Each structure stands twice: as structure tokens, then as C-alpha cells.
Amino acid sequence: MPGRVIGMYVALRARLLQRRRIRWFLVEARRRVYAIWAVWGRLIGFCPCCSVRSIQEAPAMVESAADSGTRAPAAQPIKSLEELSDRTLLLSPKHEFLKSSVPLTVNFRSKRPQLLVCHDFKGGYQEDKWVQGKEGMEGYVLWHWHLVDVFVYFSHSLVTIPPPGWINAAHKHGVPVLGTFITEWAHGASVCRSLLASAEICCMYASRLAELAFEFGFDGWLINIENEVDMKDLPRLHLFVQHLRQCMQSQSPNPLVIWYDAVTEEGRLDWQNCLNEKNRFFFGDSDGLFTNYSWSEYMAESSANVAGERAPEVYMGVDVFGRNTFGGGGWNCNKALKVARKAKVSAALFAPGWVFETNQPPSFEVAQTRWWKTIQDCWPVGRFSPMRLPFFTDFNRGCGARVSVEGNVVSTQPWFNLSCQNMQPILKVTAQPQNSLEVNMSHEAAYGGGSCLRISGSEDTLGLVLLYESYVPVKGNRFHVSHSVLELDNLNICLALHVQMDSSRFLVLLADEEAFIDVPPNLQSCVVKRSEPISESSGMWLVRKHILELGACTITQIHAAVYSHELDVQKLMSLFEDNDNQITSKLSTQENNFLNKVLLGHLRISTEPEHDRDLPKIVFEGCQSEWTQLSETSKSVSLTLRWGLLQSHVSNGNCQWVQYHVYVTKDEDSRGSSSVSRSDPEFLGVAVSQAFVVQDLLVPNSCNTLNFHVQAHCACGLPGVLSPACSVDVSRSTHQDWGSGSDPSQLLLSEHAV
């Protein structure tokens, strides 16, 4: 028997050696063939890299280009304490791409009960991770921001850094965003031992977390220690939370550090599901407690009693997936919220992406709206949006079937980019006759971005669509309002602003000069028909501009007034006065059945005229490009564009430049003649930082120059001019002498400024 085993081993060993010799022979043969081919290529004057390596090993070259930094930037978590202490992410080239561009300007601290939303969508970092967006419209989007007070981005990695798209979208709505620091189970216990090894070490890690929040522009942390902690380390755990809070307060006026209910004062992993003596010291270290989900009505009341004046800082956890949660989750989350509201504590909805993940019928948009309506019915809106001027929205949700700029389509490719989301409307409808008006979001057209509001009605309808509950003080004697409409059928629309001036309140209708309006003598002052100019066209859209000279006032509501044929102002005013009793939400559950519809494209309110703004002066910097030969007729290039503004560029209305659209044109020889033809500008994408990664751009061999352009867009939705070209000489990518060590892909971009 032993001899037989030895024989089998010898035979197997011989077979392996034979395979190894064959593999070595093939590798050596390929190496020699390529060396001969390279020498021959230099002798006859062409590049063997282009003709062999670039064609036959294109996937490998693409991967190489990605490794060198030209891969589309993506948000990512930090997975180890070593990465956190070494500041690995902050020192990496992708650091500049992960910064948010929209600051949180609203003071969000409040003594009322708050609604916290904890993201946790499929473990985090899905379609939302792509900083420059991605192709296709699929992705989880949130648009009921008027109900959200705090947004937490969650994953099960050690340090979860919110992608900039979520930060930008939330900040536009005045909502603070928190990252997550989490340790779990046995591995988490080991991490905590390292984290809490000494007072100096735990303070260092707390400082690193605060630095990340400051650098990337979010507003605080959810601390989730979900493992046993040694008793001797508990004082340093308290120090860690306290020092993090202190560091955050030194960098931000209103930071948030929230503690999750898992570890007790004895260091045990023992979820309390409420605020009590076992976790109240951690509550004292932080700005709030996020409880576990298995609580009872009594626990909500007792938490309020223990918290006292800080009762709104206790967030009763509600798992939307219904995992051992009070009320059962899903469509019954409102049961838990009602109990929390009654106890005068806050609530935390965990994983509202349940609607998307479980494919709730009939569609995501309809199911999402229905689900959030159940939340709104038991958790009333407690804050206003917008709250300052200038105000702009194009109703963009952060995805679309095309890209439009001021009514003109610049790209027909579907896309997803949360940084492009603008302030979302409330969409409440009051109509006569009842149920004669519906409103929903539409991707069939767009004035800006990828969507608009579609309002559908019957042949004889009159109604108001509440767009925003606002509190916008207007200082000075006048302000400017513009909006765009696309009237497709016998349905008309005009804006209606509810204005408060001193002790009086009234509705102001912004009507078109040619509109048919029945205005009683006592309501003449409520209708503004003078426009500036009367109207102008932008693509298919009609843009209406008004100047209002009301004096100092406050805009408290923004409506769209919708009517068929002629607008009866008396009836509309009666409808507005009674809307508290009649107001309902209407969203069609299928392709709407009304024949008449009108599209609302954008809305802008500003104290400054649209033309009265500074233009950014853009200067391009150098970059490195990577070329891949795809075929005999085309190649692709990946590169990183970078630019800067020579000085701070802000309009007189304090409107920041927060977004950049990137385009390219391609110069080609015209059939061998000396003339050059230039393609139309091709839209490449949106950047929120002053850098953009161009990945795998297809370049025909007939192209000799790539011209990149950048167009800055300000927060009030107005684009600057297209910058002069930043040119790349494509012919240098086929440089003959690649074997000498010079790399023709090292291309410097020329500098241009507006």
C-alpha cells in the first residue's frame, strides 16, 4: 500500500513538472516573439504597442488606466483603523472628488421632535457612489425631504463616509447629514481594544473622524458600538465620544454626534430599546440617542421622562423592514411614529429604501409617495423650505432620460446623479371640481436637468398645487420671479405667491399678459400681469418673468394655479382660503387619464436680475492621459481635467458657483484638405469639484484635436458662458518612439480663461 501511494505521488509530480515546462515554454516564446516584433516595428516606423498590445490586450490597458487614477471617482468607506489614522483617503488623489459642494446654511437645531432617516440601502455605496453620476436612471432616490430632519448614511464598514451626492441633495433642503462609525461582534471588540488602547489614541481617532466630516462637508456622526467592551476601556469610550463632539463643535456651529443604543454602562452588548440608567451616560456624552427597535409604548414614555427637556433628542428606532420592530414596519411604520409623537420624543426610520428593495407595487414612484404620505399624516411638517433668496429649482430628482440646460437638450443619454437634485416640491392639490387635477413628476421633457412637473386636468377645472411651504424674507422694494411652462393642451398655469406683509396676508397671482382672467375690482391688486419681458422662448419652453414691487415682505407659500379656459380669481381665492379642509395629495397610479396637461419646468426667485451676475474666470491645468487603441479606425482616451477660478466668483445675490458641466468638441481633417471640421459640443457630465475624470472617450483616428470646455452653473440655476477650449493634440498619442522611455500620453493641456 505505501508503495502504491508513493508511485501515485511520483506520477502526479511528473505531470505537474511537465505542465510547468510547457507553461514556461509558451511564456518564453511569447516574450521572444514580442521582442522581435518590437524591434521590427521601430525599424519600419510604427508603434508595436499600438498594433499588438493595444489591440490584443485592451482590457488590461483599461485596467492599467484605472489604476493610474483615470477611473471614474467613486465614494468608499474606510475599513480599518490603520486607514483612518494614516489619513489614507484624505491623502489619496480621489480626495478632491469626494467633497460636497453645497454647504448647510440653515440652523437645523430645534426643540421639537425630529424625524431621522437612516439610509442603509443594500449595504450602501450602490449607484450613489459614483461621484460624477452613472449611465441609466436606476437608483434609489429620496424626494420627501420636507419631512426629514436628519439624514444618516449607513453601512457596515468601520467608517461610512456619505457620498457627496447625498450631502449635496440633503443640504439643498436644509437637512444635516451624518456618517457612521461602527464596530460589530468579535471583530468589533478587537477594533475597540485598539481604538481605546490609551487616552491619546482614542482622542486621535476622534480627531480623525471630525477631520473627515470637515473635509468632505457633512455634519456629524452616528456612533454604533455593537460589541462587548472591556470594563477597563469604558472611561476611554466615553472620552472618545466626548472628544469627537468637542472637535465637531470647534469646526461646525451645529454638529451632531448621536449614540446608538447597544452597549451599556457595564460594557455589555445589551440593547435597552429606550433611554434608561444603563445608557443615559452615553446620552449625556452625545447630542442624541438612537434606540434599538424592539420598544413598547411604555418605553417611549419612560424615555421622555428620563430625558426631561432633552426628550426630542431621543430617537425611537423604527426598522422599515419590520425586523422585530414596534408596529411591524413596512406600511405600518406610522403606528410607531404616532406613539413616539404622543410621547414627545423623536423617531428614527431605518432603511426606508425598503420600498425600492422589495419592489412595492405598482411602481417605485407611486409606492414611495404613498408610503411617505402615511408618514406625513402622522408626523406633520415642522420646518420650511426654502428659507432664503436666491431660490431656484428645476424639479430635478437626480436622474433623467436626457439632460437639458435652459430648455435645450444637451444629451439624450439616461443618467443618475444625486448631486443634480434640486429642491423638491411638496405637491398637494386643491381643486374644483374635486379629483379633477393630478400632479406628478415627469421625465418626458425638462427645462433643466432631467425632469419637470406634469399637471393634468379635466376640461373644466380650477385648482391650486402647493409647491413649497416657505419662509423667505424679502428685503428691499422689489424682487424678480421667473418660471417656464410648456402648455400642451387646454390647460393653463400661473404662479401664486402667498405673501405676508406686516399683519396682513394675501395671494399674488403672476399671470401672463395674454391670459384670460376675470378679476373683480376688489382683487385687482392681487394680480401682477406686467412682465420683464412679457415672455421669451427657450427651446420648447415659454419663460415668463415678473418684477414684483411689494416692499419688505415674507413669502410663506408658493403655488401653481391651474385653470381651463378662463381664470376666475374670485373662485380661486375662495379655494385658497378653504384649502386647509380640502387639501389632498393626488398622484396618478398609471398613465394619467386626463386629456389636458401642462408642464412646469423651473422656478426662480431672486432680488437680482438674471443678467446681473459675475462670470467665472476659468483656468485649466495640466493632466495625464491614457490611450487605448481599439481598432484600426478608433481609440479611446481617459484623462483627468482640472481647472481653477482666478478669484472668488459670486453674484450680487450671493449665488455660489456650485456645479460645472463638461463638454468636448473634436476637430477632424476634412478629407485630406487643409480645412478642419469641428463637431458639436458633446456633453460629458457634471462635476461638483473643479476636476472631472474623462473615462474611455471614443476618439476616431480622423480626429486630430480634442477641445474640452467647462460651463459653470450657480446655485440659482444660471449657467455661465462656455469656456474657451482646453485642447489636447491627439496626433501625439501615436508618437513613434515609445521605446525610448518618453511617454506620449503625458499631454499638457493649454491654459485658457474666460
Side-chain angles (χ1 to χ4, degrees):
M1 189 68 174
R4 185 177 179 184
V5 172
I6 293 173
M8 292 175 61
Y9 171 78
V10 171
L12 180 60
R13 180 70 176 171
R15 200 173 304 157
L16 290 173
L17 288 173
Q18 185 178 12
R19 289 181 180 177
R20 192 172 297 172
R21 292 191 191 99
I22 294 173
R23 192 181 300 119
W24 177 87
F25 175 80
L26 292 175
V27 170
E28 182 65 15
R30 186 169 57 185
R31 185 189 68 78
R32 293 185 180 185
V33 167
Y34 183 79
I36 295 171
W37 183 257
V39 173
W40 177 250
R42 292 191 192 100
L43 291 175
I44 63 174
F46 70 87
C47 176
C49 297
C50 293
S51 59
V52 178
R53 184 180 172 213
S54 297
I55 295 176
Q56 297 182 358
E57 301 181 14
M61 287 197 67
V62 171
E63 187 64 32
S64 173
D67 294 341
S68 68
T70 52
R71 182 188 293 274
Q76 64 182 50
I78 294 175
K79 297 183 178 181
S80 70
L81 288 177
E82 290 74 22
E83 290 181 61
L84 180 60
S85 63
D86 294 344
R87 304 173 75 245
T88 304
L89 187 59
L90 289 173
L91 297 175
S92 72
K94 67 176 63 177
H95 164 235
E96 62 184 317
F97 294 99
L98 303 183
K99 292 183 177 182
S100 64
S101 62
V102 181
L104 183 66
T105 56
V106 179
N107 187 337
F108 56 83
R109 301 304 287 272
S110 174
K111 294 297 182 183
R112 63 175 175 81
Q114 308 264 303
L115 186 63
L116 181 150
V117 169
C118 195
H119 175 261
D120 189 44
F121 179 73
K122 297 183 178 180
Y125 301 105
Q126 300 298 313
E127 290 83 357
D128 54 4
K129 70 181 178 181
W130 299 109
V131 176
Q132 297 176 177
K134 62 175 286 292
E135 293 182 358
M137 294 174 57
E138 288 300 315
Y140 175 65
V141 181
L142 178 67
W143 59 84
H144 292 82
W145 290 104
H146 61 286
L147 299 175
V148 181
D149 293 296
V150 181
F151 180 82
V152 178
Y153 195 80
F154 183 90
S155 79
H156 288 277
S157 294
L158 179 68
V159 180
T160 302
I161 299 172
W166 281 110
I167 305 173
N168 291 330
H171 282 184
K172 288 174 187 177
H173 295 84
V175 177
V177 179
L178 310 187
T180 304
F181 181 84
I182 185 172
T183 62
E184 299 178 284
W185 315 118
H187 176 70
S190 174
V191 171
C192 279
R193 284 191 288 273
S194 300
L195 173 74
L196 308 172
S198 69
E200 293 77 13
I201 289 176
C202 73
C203 287
M204 179 271 292
Y205 284 120
S207 300
R208 290 287 188 268
L209 291 178
E211 183 183 26
L212 287 171
F214 177 76
E215 285 294 325
F216 295 130
F218 57 99
D219 312 291
W221 292 95
L222 170 66
I223 305 299
N224 185 357
I225 307 298
E226 211 155 356
N227 49 256
E228 300 280 343
V229 177
D230 295 339
M231 279 288 292
K232 64 179 178 60
D233 292 335
L234 283 174
R236 288 186 289 276
L237 180 57
H238 284 286
L239 178 61
F240 170 74
V241 180
Q242 293 165 3
H243 190 69
L244 173 60
R245 193 181 181 196
Q246 291 171 2
C247 291
M248 291 297 302
Q249 288 172 344
S250 68
Q251 297 177 354
S252 174
N254 292 292
L256 277 175
V257 175
I258 295 179
W259 177 263
Y260 180 70
D261 158 41
V263 173
T264 67
E265 282 300 311
E266 295 81 24
R268 295 180 56 201
L269 181 58
D270 187 8
W271 299 268
Q272 299 301 298
N273 302 295
C274 63
L275 175 64
N276 59 24
E277 291 298 317
K278 293 187 177 182
N279 56 24
R280 71 181 180 90
F281 288 105
F282 288 112
F283 178 63
D285 295 336
S286 61
D287 298 300
L289 175 74
F290 185 149
T291 77
N292 193 47
Y293 314 107
S294 302
W295 47 272
S296 64
E297 187 170 354
Y298 165 76
M299 289 179 174
E301 295 172 355
S302 65
S303 295
N305 292 332
V306 174
E309 293 183 354
R310 292 186 64 194
E313 296 174 25
V314 178
Y315 300 84
M316 306 304 293
V318 182
D319 184 355
V320 182
F321 276 85
R323 293 162 290 202
N324 202 30
T325 195
F326 179 83
W331 293 100
N332 296 317
C333 289
N334 55 350
K335 294 181 179 180
L337 266 60
K338 289 177 182 177
V339 171
R341 189 78 180 182
K342 181 181 177 182
K344 298 182 179 180
V345 293
S346 294
L349 291 170
F350 186 79
W354 167 84
V355 177
F356 189 101
E357 291 189 57
T358 57
N359 297 313
Q360 292 296 305
S363 68
F364 170 56
E365 180 170 338
V366 174
Q368 170 107 314
T369 299
R370 285 178 178 173
W371 186 83
W372 277 102
K373 188 177 186 308
T374 67
I375 304 302
Q376 181 171 314
D377 288 345
C378 65
W379 200 275
V381 179
R383 59 184 180 81
F384 303 104
S385 292
M387 293 186 66
R388 59 185 296 178
L389 296 182
F391 165 65
F392 168 79
T393 183
D394 54 16
F395 310 107
N396 194 338
R397 279 191 179 164
C399 59
R402 61 188 59 82
V403 180
S404 295
V405 175
E406 293 195 310
N408 299 300
V409 176
V410 298
S411 172
T412 57
Q413 296 298 316
W415 58 275
F416 178 93
N417 189 340
L418 289 177
S419 283
C420 296
Q421 187 182 91
N422 277 314
M423 193 171 288
Q424 297 299 293
I426 296 175
L427 301 185
K428 289 184 178 179
V429 175
T430 308
Q432 289 181 349
Q434 199 171 18
N435 299 326
S436 63
L437 201 62
E438 291 182 350
V439 57
N440 57 11
M441 195 66 65
S442 173
H443 296 291
E444 63 190 280
Y447 179 82
S451 53
C452 65
L453 283 186
R454 177 174 61 193
I455 303 173
S456 308
S458 63
E459 294 182 356
D460 184 19
T461 187
L462 174 67
L464 283 170
V465 179
L466 177 60
L467 301 176
Y468 298 98
E469 290 270 12
S470 60
Y471 189 84
V472 180
V474 179
K475 300 177 182 179
N477 294 325
R478 62 167 56 184
F479 61 97
H480 302 258
V481 181
S482 70
H483 67 284
S484 55
V485 296
L486 189 56
E487 295 175 342
L488 303 174
D489 303 295
N490 297 321
L491 201 63
N492 305 293
I493 188 173
C494 67
L495 289 183
L497 304 180
H498 187 217
V499 177
Q500 178 177 340
M501 185 180 296
D502 298 327
S503 58
S504 61
R505 297 184 178 187
F506 52 93
L507 196 67
V508 179
L509 294 175
L510 308 183
D512 186 53
E513 283 284 343
E514 300 177 356
F516 295 99
I517 300 181
D518 179 16
V519 187
N522 63 319
L523 295 176
Q524 290 286 341
S525 61
C526 295
V527 179
V528 178
K529 296 186 71 172
R530 177 71 67 183
S531 300
E532 180 240 37
I534 294 176
S535 63
E536 62 183 35
S537 296
S538 183
M540 301 182 297
W541 297 85
L542 185 68
V543 180
R544 295 170 180 162
K545 300 181 180 181
H546 292 78
I547 300 176
L548 281 75
E549 297 183 348
L550 304 178
C553 62
T554 300
I555 303 171
T556 58
Q557 288 182 339
I558 303 173
H559 297 263
V562 186
Y563 59 98
S564 303
H565 311 301
E566 184 179 58
L567 175 59
D568 188 324
V569 176
Q570 186 73 56
K571 287 184 178 180
L572 185 69
M573 292 299 176
S574 300
L575 196 64
F576 172 75
E577 292 169 359
D578 297 337
N579 67 7
D580 286 341
N581 299 322
Q582 300 183 27
I583 208 160
T584 56
S585 282
K586 293 294 295 179
L587 188 87
S588 61
T589 59
Q590 55 188 2
E591 197 67 29
N592 71 70
N593 297 317
F594 294 115
L595 296 176
N596 301 317
K597 63 181 178 181
V598 61
L599 305 181
L600 182 60
H602 88 283
L603 168 62
R604 182 183 294 110
I605 306 176
S606 174
T607 56
E608 301 294 333
E610 293 187 0
H611 61 271
D612 188 13
R613 67 190 192 280
D614 295 331
L615 293 175
K617 196 172 185 181
I618 296 174
V619 175
F620 282 96
E621 302 173 359
C623 78
Q624 182 178 8
S625 60
E626 295 277 352
W627 293 88
T628 302
Q629 191 73 34
L630 301 176
S631 68
E632 294 181 356
T633 59
S634 66
K635 52 196 162 191
S636 68
V637 64
S638 297
L639 53 85
T640 301
L641 292 168
R642 287 187 175 84
W643 58 89
L645 305 183
L646 291 186
Q647 57 186 10
S648 177
H649 292 278
V650 226
S651 72
N652 293 334
N654 195 30
C655 193
Q656 302 286 339
W657 299 94
V658 297
Q659 201 175 94
Y660 303 90
H661 288 196
V662 182
Y663 299 84
V664 67
T665 59
K666 301 172 183 177
D667 291 350
E668 298 186 9
D669 294 326
S670 295
R671 299 179 182 179
S673 67
S674 58
S675 62
V676 175
S677 64
R678 174 164 293 180
S679 65
D680 294 330
E682 176 185 346
F683 177 78
L684 295 180
V686 174
V688 294
S689 60
Q690 293 173 17
F692 185 83
V693 173
V694 179
Q695 186 173 11
D696 299 331
L697 175 66
L698 188 64
V699 182
N701 283 350
S702 57
C703 174
N704 53 45
T705 306
L706 296 175
N707 305 293
F708 294 97
H709 307 264
V710 171
Q711 184 182 43
H713 288 241
C714 63
C716 52
L718 296 170
V721 297
L722 203 66
S723 73
C726 171
S727 300
V728 174
D729 186 354
V730 176
S731 63
R732 294 180 60 186
S733 68
T734 57
H735 194 283
Q736 295 181 5
D737 189 17
W738 279 33
S740 63
S742 62
D743 188 349
S745 66
Q746 308 287 329
L747 298 179
L748 285 180
L749 300 184
S750 56
E751 294 185 356
H752 293 281
V754 177

